[in-house]
Amino acid sequence: MEALVSEWLGGVLPDTADSVSPHRINHNLRLIEDWNSSHPVTIGVKRLLPHWVNFLAWRSGTPQAAADTALATLAEVSAGGHRAAEHCPGVH
């Protein structure tokens, strides 16, 4: 958990710590993918990410549609894809 929180909060503005925008998820997942993929911490962080996104969306009062878009981005990027900016107008 500590590794995920550290990566998530690295370089963010204080008022955006709970943001789950698709672009932020894409960025953070790309950073995490640079870690040792077979290390238990990396595997654990990747498993925890959907729960983390749901928790932050709930904590920040993010509308369900925006949370669903963030989770869809996470699933697509985790599977090796990439989501373009146009897929989420008005979400962030």
Side-chain angles (χ1 to χ4, degrees):
M1 177 70 149
E2 184 179 335
L4 174 57
V5 172
S6 177
E7 191 68 68
W8 192 266
L9 296 178
V12 301
L13 298 171
D15 291 342
T16 64
D18 292 346
S19 170
V20 293
S21 78
H23 296 281
R24 183 168 187 194
I25 290 169
N26 186 25
H27 173 75
N28 278 290
L29 191 55
R30 298 288 180 201
L31 292 173
I32 292 165
E33 287 175 350
D34 284 343
W35 301 356
N36 178 346
S37 63
S38 62
H39 194 280
V41 171
T42 306
I43 294 166
V45 164
K46 286 184 174 183
R47 285 185 186 151
L48 187 58
L49 269 169
H51 305 288
W52 179 249
V53 169
N54 273 322
F55 168 71
L56 291 179
W58 168 80
R59 188 165 107 167
S60 65
T62 300
Q64 189 60 49
D68 291 345
T69 299
L71 289 167
T73 297
L74 178 59
E76 187 169 333
V77 174
S78 293
H82 179 76
R83 295 196 77 164
E86 302 81 50
H87 83 278
C88 53
V91 172
H92 31 230

